[in-house]
Amino acid sequence: MQSLLLDFLKVTESAAVAALPWVGSGDKIAADGAATNAMRETLNKMKMHSKIVIGEGEIDEAPMLYIGEELGKGGSHEVDIAVDPIEGTTPTVNGQGNAITVIAAAEKGALLHAPDMYMKKMAVGPKAKGHIDLDAPIEENIKNVAKALGKEVTELNVLIQDRPRHEEYIERIRETGAKVRLFHDGDVIYAIATCIESLGVDMFLGIGGAPEGVLGAVAARCMGGEMQAKLLPRNEEEIARCIEMGINNFESVLTQDDLVRTDDCLFAATGITDNIIIDGIETNDGNYHTSSILVNGREKQVRYVKSVYPVKAIV
């Protein structure tokens, strides 16, 4: 996978640049379509056999990158891909922060084929790895994470999305004395934040999309952190979907190894607009200036990448 790092970086950079004209436009379909088309075109130039295992829908929902779609020019690499052409479509078209393009990849068969439904997720960075249990009360997890980090509970910062479904979690976290930091959109970037010590984010918790959970889990594994998750099917149709995708014991906690089963994986994200980890695209002197984060599971090394693209090279 290491040999494909820069190729996958170009995938997210091209998608971010393609989405830029739609920032503030209010047109979600056009923005997502532009990013998707750029990703597909770039992926199809890569020397690999790849399949989308986490995408935006089924084959009849094309032109989105659909589950089961095969991409690449062929070669010796067999790769499973999880993708979100725009993580944060709403902030993109509203001209707000926290919009990124995201891709994760691993050797064939290594990524959970997560159905598009709700998932409960908890993530921590490297120092707290091995000290969380999604089945345990949140109070116990907070105590254990604080101990692992050498902090008082009152010093702990927990990131959670500002949604009505999280009101009980927010109240219980605050009752322990820990601090809650709320965010509005884009939970992949905040799961990653737990693995960057300088950001002061100690834990991520919440209920959100399962596809985003797998993307976050790959990033966490690449950066030495940990994510645990549990699928939350809401009806018989979603239960059947789990079984169809090979997940029979959907009530069990999914460990880091269930979500991504190898260190031979990578994660790349490029900012469309500013967020707590990477900057959005800037344009000056006829160039696009992109900021990205690039990590792989073998090295556990985080790369922050600045790239410059002449406008004429894109349009």
Side-chain angles (χ1 to χ4, degrees):
M1 297 300 299
Q2 286 179 263
S3 65
L4 298 173
L5 274 173
L6 292 180
D7 292 316
F8 276 108
L9 173 64
K10 191 170 182 179
V11 172
T12 59
E13 289 177 341
S14 64
V17 169
L20 184 62
W22 303 101
V23 172
S25 69
D27 193 337
K28 291 184 179 182
I29 294 175
D32 213 20
T36 298
N37 290 337
M39 276 196 166
R40 178 179 282 117
E41 182 179 345
T42 309
L43 286 165
N44 272 326
K45 294 177 181 177
M46 293 175 60
K47 292 182 179 179
M48 63 177 181
H49 291 286
S50 71
K51 180 180 287 187
I52 303 294
V53 298
I54 302 291
E56 295 193 305
E58 303 301 326
I59 189 168
D60 59 354
E61 295 177 18
M64 299 307 165
L65 287 159
Y66 58 85
I67 297 169
E69 182 172 0
E70 296 184 358
L71 299 161
K73 294 172 63 176
S76 59
H77 298 291
E78 292 189 285
V79 180
D80 281 354
I81 292 175
V83 63
D84 194 344
I86 300 181
E87 160 74 343
T89 310
T90 297
T92 297
V93 301
N94 287 340
Q96 300 168 328
N98 296 328
I100 60 174
T101 60
V102 186
I103 198 164
E107 60 188 22
K108 183 179 179 181
L111 298 182
L112 177 76
H113 291 207
D116 190 3
M117 62 181 61
Y118 275 129
M119 172 186 271
K120 183 179 178 182
K121 298 168 261 189
M122 180 182 292
V124 291
K127 290 184 177 179
K129 181 180 178 180
H131 297 275
I132 58 172
D133 179 357
L134 196 61
D135 272 342
I138 183 60
E139 295 84 356
E140 182 178 326
N141 279 288
I142 286 173
K143 180 181 177 181
N144 290 339
V145 169
K147 183 177 180 180
L149 297 176
K151 293 184 175 184
E152 298 294 330
V153 166
T154 54
E155 298 177 287
L156 217 63
N157 291 306
V158 182
L159 271 172
I160 188 166
Q161 194 173 23
D162 189 7
R163 293 289 188 271
R165 62 181 177 268
H166 293 146
E167 288 177 357
E168 180 185 347
Y169 293 138
I170 293 168
E171 182 179 346
R172 289 171 61 185
I173 292 166
R174 286 175 171 160
E175 284 179 353
T176 69
K179 306 299 188 296
V180 172
R181 293 172 59 180
L182 297 174
F183 66 92
H184 293 284
D185 295 283
D187 68 4
V188 174
I189 205 74
Y190 291 105
I192 299 169
T194 62
C195 297
I196 302 173
E197 191 170 353
S198 62
L199 296 177
V201 176
D202 302 305
M203 181 186 294
F204 164 86
L205 175 68
I207 296 170
E212 291 82 0
V214 175
L215 284 160
V218 174
R221 180 158 194 144
C222 286
M223 299 171 78
E226 180 182 7
M227 178 180 283
Q228 293 185 9
K230 182 181 288 189
L231 291 166
L232 301 174
R234 294 171 292 181
N235 50 48
E236 292 299 321
E237 181 181 349
E238 291 192 348
I239 290 173
R241 184 74 174 127
C242 289
I243 296 170
E244 179 186 342
M245 298 183 77
I247 305 169
N248 296 309
N249 194 7
F250 53 83
E251 295 181 347
S252 296
V253 170
L254 296 164
T255 66
Q256 182 77 70
D257 285 336
D258 293 321
L259 296 164
V260 52
R261 292 183 285 277
T262 179
D263 283 337
D264 196 16
C265 57
L266 62 85
F267 175 90
T270 299
I272 302 172
T273 59
D274 292 346
N275 58 75
I276 63 173
I277 296 178
I278 47 179
D279 296 329
I281 298 175
E282 297 179 0
T283 56
N284 54 64
D285 299 329
N287 294 319
Y288 294 112
H289 295 255
T290 64
S291 299
S292 306
I293 185 170
L294 179 65
V295 290
N296 75 83
R298 292 292 187 199
E299 295 179 322
K300 300 290 189 292
Q301 182 178 14
V302 181
R303 294 177 172 90
Y304 296 97
V305 183
K306 297 280 189 179
S307 299
V308 180
Y309 287 90
V311 170
K312 64 181 180 180
I314 302 296
V315 298

